[in-house]
Amino acid sequence: MKVIRKTIIITQKIIHRILQWPSKTIHAIYSIGPIKKRVTQNRIHSIRAHSQDLTPLATEETPLAHALKERGFCKVNSDFFEAFRSEKFRTAAGEIYDYIEKTYLETGITINIIKLLDAEPRMIGQFETIFRAGLDIKLLRIIEHYLQLPVGYGGVDIFFTVADGVERGARTWHKDGEDHPMIKVAVYLNDVGENDGPLEILHLQRTSPDFDKLRGFRQQKLIDLQNEGKIKFDITSFTGPLGSVILCDTSKYFHRGKPATGRNRRALFFNYYANKPLTPYFCPNPPFPPDRMKELVSDLSMTQRNAALWRENLSPVDKIVTKTKPYLNL
């Protein structure tokens, strides 16, 4: 079973990298000096222009927005957000995770959302409920004040972390590259202790030039560099009960889901960028077509609709490349 699992992962990675070639080609072009400079200047101008139009924060939202701006992360309970405390959301998430766990127990394979919806089309309604929860208006306001721009909603990743202690994929230290800055919002759907795969972020107090070149690395590499006196660091581990919500700029911090050895972890990760990302071709697409997206958010506010439909405002080239960008969930 382990050999089959390893073969599947290697095959997925190869296909994923091949399908990323268009995105990486466009990125190489956009990284050319004059083009990159113009893109950066446009972003600065957009922030200045939007500074007068930032949506006012409600009194209870202000401390979270300030904490996020000052540190790049904050934590709160899901009851703070209407969408996350709703019974419909909790039921939908529970049904999807029950199916994922059942599949794992029967096959030894963790199924991603694309394959789950292919296998069980009846669950599209549950997934759409979870997807819409990420458009909670309080959440969008807080994130807007961090990004200093209108928010683009990137969708939701459904992670079922098996307590096998294995360090791979998102369980290794890495920074997210969809955009910079960006926010991910983790919602724990079971109690998460120190041995249950908590989200961790790395606070580097001293680094070496070699470390700055790393895109991702395992825990042993971190320990080795520390022992060699090349780096000094602290780690914040976000443990917490069911319903814990963590907002974090995952392009700013090296982070990981700590390999779980206690219990399996159920956690949703919602993704947010500026509604005109610097690198939209690195932003994954939701597992349903644009027409369904419009229908899904048609009853929401203009702010929420704009956050969900940001892809419609991309340039023709970015639309083509972004549409073909797959998401690898290991």
Side-chain angles (χ1 to χ4, degrees), residues 43 46-47 50 143-144 146-154 178-183 271-280 283 306-307 309-311 314:
R43 168 62 69 88
S46 296
I47 290 174
H50 189 66
I143 294 171
E144 178 190 357
Y146 180 77
L147 299 176
Q148 297 293 293
L149 287 167
V151 179
Y153 174 43
E178 291 96 314
D179 199 34
H180 181 77
M182 63 173 288
I183 291 292
N271 307 285
Y272 304 87
Y273 337 107
N275 72 345
K276 291 184 179 178
L278 295 174
T279 53
C283 301
N306 287 342
L309 302 175
W310 62 270
R311 292 173 180 83
L314 293 175

Side-chain angles (χ1 to χ4, degrees), residues 24 48 65 74 87 93 112 153 161 171 234 236 249 278 309:
K24 290 184 176 180
R48 288 174 180 167
C74 62
E87 190 61 35
N112 65 31
Y153 174 43
T161 302
R171 304 179 212 179
D234 289 317
T236 294
D249 185 342
L278 295 174
L309 302 175

